[in-house]
Amino acid sequence: MTRSWIILGATSSMARAFARSVAERGDRVIVAGRDMADLKAMATDLALRGAASAEAMRFDARDPATFGPIVQKAELEPGEINVAVFVGSMPAQAEIDADPALISGVVADNFTGPVRFLAEIAPLLEARAGGTVVGVSSVAGDRGRISNYTYGAAKAGFATYLSGLRNRLTRAGAHVVTVKPGFVDTSMTWGIEGMFLVASPEKVAADILKAVEKRRNVLYTPGFWWLIMTIIKLVPERIFKKLSI
Ligand SMILES: NC(=O)c1ccc[n+]([C@@H]2O[C@H](COP(=O)([O-])OP(=O)(O)OC[C@H]3O[C@@H](n4cnc5c(N)ncnc54)[C@H](OP(=O)(O)O)[C@@H]3O)[C@@H](O)[C@H]2O)c1
């Protein structure tokens, strides 16, 4: 079957590992993001690794004018259309507290931009009666914590949107996988103190591909984060509000 993947936020190391896996099985790939030089080099590499076709396109979550051309390009792609959203940004919560003007960018990168793009491309998946949307949210969205509650709130909004989109697309035979990674060793977490059980981007990407193949609904990766977050969600609010986690 001909499969095309549109990968947003493709310069993320998780996205790079995911893109390599789908290229190696011969899928078509469009890598999208802000750094065109990096994305073009990546597309060349993906073609050498076996992608049936590989192209770079500009996507900026804060600039909706970049969304339409990608959707139009996807309409010309043959076969099954799949979308993977790795876009996200996480400024330190202390920086956001000091400068609340940063909030709109965090919400655009983690919520509004990805959600609007998915709203624009969803009719195509419905028309093709198949395909998968992978949306990378975070365990940070499961409960607001002092260390990253603005980012966490945007990720929670994204996860809720993905749940509704899954409800919609399942009627057309398409599917949505919500991904909730724990701590992953990437540029986003570089230099952050106090991280534990840190996973590699390759492990997360492999878990995501398995979840796509098994049509999982919600993926905690690595899997033990499901247990950790179940415990964290059970802590009563009167205790939780005093914790510094
Ligand atoms: N690392 C973790 O521990 C962790 C845990 C849970 C969830 N996540 C989520 O996993 C996803 C991948 O993150 P990562 O850890 O691999 O970090 P990363 O390397 O910082 O990747 C973030 C990606 O988002 C892109 N991006 C940021 N703002 C954008 C914008 N306005 N428009 C378009 N693209 C934009 C970045 O592109 P540029 O190269 O142009 O900056 C990059 O490709 C993110 O959604 C993140 O929130 C990460």
Side-chain angles (χ1 to χ4, degrees):
M1 183 210 290
T2 306
R3 275 184 301 242
S4 300
W5 278 96
I6 297 151
I7 302 180
L8 306 182
T11 54
S12 127
S13 23
M14 278 178 222
R16 284 179 202 276
F18 184 80
R20 280 198 296 271
S21 307
V22 294
E24 279 161 8
R25 67 181 194 185
D27 292 359
R28 300 168 66 87
V29 189
I30 296 171
V31 285
R34 297 183 292 191
D35 184 340
M36 288 309 293
D38 192 351
L39 292 164
K40 281 180 185 159
M42 190 177 169
T44 305
D45 176 64
L46 293 172
L48 289 171
R49 285 172 188 271
S53 85
E55 275 188 62
M57 289 193 78
R58 190 171 147 68
F59 172 87
D60 184 340
R62 302 187 193 190
D63 180 7
T66 62
F67 303 175
I70 303 175
V71 176
Q72 284 150 24
K73 173 79 186 132
E75 283 164 355
L76 301 174
E77 286 288 300
E80 188 184 87
I81 305 299
N82 301 275
V83 184
V85 182
F86 289 89
V87 182
S89 70
M90 188 182 70
Q93 186 63 47
E95 279 175 36
I96 300 173
D97 292 343
D99 181 6
L102 292 174
I103 292 172
S104 50
V106 175
V107 175
D109 296 347
N110 295 290
F111 179 71
T112 335
V115 158
R116 180 160 165 188
F117 179 86
L118 291 176
E120 290 188 23
I121 203 161
L124 179 58
L125 275 75
E126 288 174 318
R128 301 272 174 106
T132 298
V133 171
V134 171
V136 180
S137 176
S138 171
V139 294
D142 280 8
R143 198 157 188 187
R145 295 181 292 119
I146 192 164
S147 55
N148 64 3
Y149 59 94
T150 307
Y151 168 78
K155 287 297 196 192
F158 189 41
T160 301
Y161 180 84
L162 293 169
S163 165
L165 187 64
R166 178 162 45 244
N167 206 180
R168 169 181 164 186
L169 292 187
T170 197
R171 287 146 220 262
H175 184 58
V176 176
V177 182
T178 306
V179 181
K180 297 187 177 187
F183 296 132
V184 190
D185 184 15
T186 68
S187 55
M188 182 174 279
T189 49
W190 191 84
I192 296 180
E193 306 267 307
M195 292 206 312
F196 53 93
L197 302 170
V198 180
S200 71
E202 290 74 21
K203 154 78 180 151
V204 170
D207 279 359
I208 294 174
L209 194 54
K210 255 185 257 157
V212 169
E213 281 161 0
K214 290 187 180 163
R215 286 172 86 87
R216 294 272 304 274
N217 295 314
V218 180
L219 169 74
Y220 282 84
T221 168
F224 53 75
W225 279 95
W226 175 83
L227 182 61
I228 294 175
M229 295 319 295
T230 300
I231 294 166
I232 286 181
K233 284 188 281 190
L234 283 172
V235 177
E237 193 65 24
R238 67 177 183 283
I239 297 169
F240 193 77
K241 70 182 179 185
K242 295 177 191 154
L243 301 179
S244 302
I245 53 172

